[in-house]
Amino acid sequence: MDLPVLQAVHIHPVKSLAAYARSEAAVEPWGLDGDRRWMVVDSADKVVTQRQRARMALISARPLPGGGIELSAPGDAPLTVRVPAPGRTVAVHLFKQKIEVVEASGDAHAWLGAHLGTDVRLVHLDAPAHRRLIPPEHSRLLDPAHARPGETVSLADEFPLLLTSVASLDALNALIAQGEHPHEGPLPMNRFRPNVVVAGTPAWAEDDWRRISVGEVSFRVVKSCGRCAITTTDQATAERGKEPLRTLARHRRSGTQLLFGRHLIPDTAGVIRVGDPVRVLG
């Protein structure tokens, strides 16, 4: 039997904006190179995501050499945003955590605010090696298989990477087709905003994984991902529906969480490439 393979790699240069496909990516301790190093915050210094502003799905951020980004959206000229110069940091809130970040230029704030219809600012995580520890509620104090002391994460919700599988999405779409809202399916993988997508496994096989390797890079598979309203947002139109949450609630519920995908923490560094073999180590 052939080994499972890495089918796709995605980064999200700005948290909650559109995904960006890559053929390969460097794996850093806090996530893929260029993934979720930028974030949008409101006038109260709190993170803004598609949960509050579905239109964020329509804005793209293309990574540029040196860590900058090019923002683009339908009907407007793109804007190049450079990495802010080192200097004074500001404290912002990413859910329950307070994080020190550096603000982007004022033209980035204005450009995003015009598209989102509200006052926002764009901020940059300048030092992921020490700015943000993996949130304490996900630490080894709860489960020794989870984060270890000192491990950090980018501006992702919980852990450095998110993995999904093609077979599990196919199985979920089959369930949606049998449910109350079949017209909403089949859903594309971008609803789930993964970093890595694996092909060639049975449906839901990833539920039992504890350690894997992708090419030469090894990862701990630490927990399943509880899904939110972002998964009901069409990433091409920003329209919201009922699925997949209605179907996950019937078939993939654990307590209050509706599960799809698995979180990863890198154990080693390296580069992963589309087509790399994926091996289950435990």
Side-chain angles (χ1 to χ4, degrees):
M1 184 176 178
D2 292 336
L3 281 173
V5 297
L6 181 61
Q7 186 198 64
V9 177
H10 294 97
I11 63 170
H12 306 81
V14 179
K15 183 179 181 68
S16 230
L17 298 192
Y20 186 85
R22 309 195 76 153
S23 60
E24 63 179 50
V27 179
E28 300 171 327
W30 44 84
L32 297 184
D33 178 28
D35 185 56
R36 296 174 172 94
R37 292 287 299 277
W38 300 81
M39 182 172 74
V40 180
V41 298
D42 63 16
S43 57
D45 299 325
K46 294 181 178 180
V47 61
V48 179
T49 74
Q50 288 185 39
R51 296 169 178 85
Q52 301 88 23
R53 300 281 172 177
R55 287 184 55 80
M56 294 178 78
L58 307 181
I59 304 174
S60 297
R62 181 172 67 90
L64 300 175
I69 52 174
E70 181 185 74
L71 296 171
S72 62
D76 199 358
L79 177 71
T80 296
V81 183
R82 303 297 179 189
V83 172
R88 186 178 67 87
T89 62
V90 295
V92 298
H93 297 273
L94 177 48
F95 307 126
K96 296 180 181 180
Q97 283 187 300
K98 184 179 287 189
I99 307 167
E100 294 292 325
V101 294
V102 183
E103 283 199 38
S105 57
D107 54 350
H109 308 338
W111 192 97
L112 286 164
H115 281 278
L116 297 178
T118 188
D119 289 336
V120 294
R121 305 194 323 279
L122 181 66
V123 299
H124 181 253
L125 183 67
D126 61 331
H130 62 81
R131 286 285 187 219
R132 182 187 180 216
L133 295 175
I134 290 177
E137 60 265 33
H138 307 305
S139 75
R140 67 182 292 136
L141 296 176
L142 297 181
D143 186 334
H146 289 189
R148 295 168 180 164
E151 288 185 319
T152 61
V153 62
S154 66
L155 298 172
D157 281 4
E158 298 180 283
F159 292 99
L161 282 84
L162 177 65
L163 173 148
T164 59
S165 82
V166 173
S168 295
L169 179 59
D170 289 345
L172 177 60
N173 277 325
L175 293 170
I176 290 172
Q178 300 164 16
E180 300 171 356
H181 306 280
H183 60 284
E184 292 192 21
L187 301 182
M189 191 65 84
N190 66 6
R191 289 289 187 97
F192 302 94
R193 302 178 63 80
N195 294 114
V196 291
V197 180
V198 177
T201 68
W204 315 120
E206 64 272 20
D207 287 353
D208 298 322
W209 297 349
R210 296 295 176 265
R211 293 182 62 246
I212 64 169
S213 64
V214 179
E216 300 303 316
V217 184
S218 61
F219 301 87
R220 277 169 283 144
V221 186
V222 292
K223 70 185 287 287
S224 295
C225 181
R227 309 313 308 219
C228 70
I230 292 177
T231 60
T232 68
T233 306
D234 187 321
Q235 296 294 295
T237 66
E239 295 177 355
R240 293 207 202 272
K242 303 294 185 183
E243 296 292 0
L245 294 186
R246 290 292 178 87
T247 297
L248 291 175
R250 291 196 304 272
H251 299 281
R252 297 281 298 170
R253 180 188 290 275
S254 176
T256 60
Q257 293 204 315
L258 312 180
L259 306 178
F260 188 87
R262 299 277 280 169
H263 290 294
L264 308 179
I265 298 177
D267 271 336
T268 60
V271 176
I272 56 175
R273 299 175 175 85
V274 171
D276 275 350
V278 178
R279 297 178 172 84
V280 179
L281 307 177

